Amino acid sequence: MKFAITLSAIAALIFCVLAGNPEDYTKAQSVYDFSAIDIHGKEVPLEKYKGNVLLIVNVASNCGLTERNYKQLNELYEKYEGKGLRILAFPSNQFLQQEPGTDKEIEEFTQKHGVKFDVFSKVDVNGDNAIPLYKFLKLKQPGTNATDSSIEWNFTKFIVDKDGQVVERDVPKKDPLELIPSIEKYI
């Protein structure tokens, strides 16, 4: 059996060990206990988003849902950014390798799509190498399958309230604009 280890996976592992992520994600009190690496390779403590409603979504450049989701995520951000919404996009290549690019290529893709919300370095959202933040999100909102809390596909969406608590998980086929009632409830 061959194992492919990407530089981003190694960087994410090192980051999780060295950065402000709790060693045991099950003991975290909120998403503010975590940090993530942004698309430029810089550590971002999620505490910086304290007091905002967060929409956390795993994204991919080559998915059938990409165009609609990026367009609607941009619309949501433009409409609600001034009211306290922050969108955190985490590229992942775990679903039919639909995010094969490097962080630089992903950044170029998002620039072409006019993305103004925060995009992070490519990560794993499932399995042993999933970043602690995603393990925490799935722990707090396991989804519809009680036996497996895995992220089922690109564009699974989590809503986090102003206190950093994960309050909602939505399926990939649910359009970002359909989240407006939930977002308005927490803003």
Side-chain angles (χ1 to χ4, degrees), residues 31-35 44-51:
V31 298
Y32 303 139
D33 293 335
F34 298 91
S35 294
V44 177
L46 297 190
E47 188 172 342
K48 112 178 204 175
Y49 299 103
K50 204 170 211 170

Side-chain angles (χ1 to χ4, degrees), residues 52-169:
N52 292 290
V53 172
L54 306 179
L55 177 57
I56 300 175
V57 57
N58 61 302
V59 298
S61 301
N62 298 317
C63 176
L65 302 172
T66 299
E67 292 299 320
R68 184 173 70 243
N69 271 270
Y70 268 104
K71 180 179 185 273
Q72 290 188 22
L73 288 168
N74 279 332
E75 288 178 41
L76 275 179
Y77 189 73
E78 288 172 10
K79 182 173 182 176
Y80 291 100
E81 187 254 343
K83 296 177 181 178
L85 174 68
R86 297 296 179 269
I87 297 174
L88 307 157
F90 287 86
S92 181
N93 195 38
Q94 289 192 287
F95 307 99
L96 294 179
Q97 289 72 50
Q98 293 183 342
E99 187 65 271
T102 64
D103 282 353
K104 176 111 178 98
E105 292 168 329
I106 294 166
E107 180 183 21
E108 290 169 2
F109 177 86
T110 60
Q111 286 174 346
K112 286 179 188 172
H113 284 79
V115 169
K116 292 185 177 60
F117 52 82
D118 294 346
V119 180
F120 290 81
S121 183
K122 186 163 58 170
V123 298
D124 281 355
V125 296
N126 285 329
D128 293 339
N129 293 327
I131 62 170
L133 171 63
Y134 261 85
K135 290 179 180 180
F136 178 78
L137 294 171
K138 295 183 296 185
L139 175 70
K140 297 300 181 181
Q141 288 289 326
T144 56
N145 185 350
T147 60
D148 181 11
S149 65
S150 293
I151 303 298
E152 58 272 13
W153 197 251
N154 303 309
F155 299 101
T156 297
K157 300 156 193 80
F158 291 90
I159 296 177
V160 177
D161 70 12
K162 291 180 180 184
D163 296 320
Q165 301 306 307
V166 189
V167 293
E168 189 173 309
R169 175 178 175 162

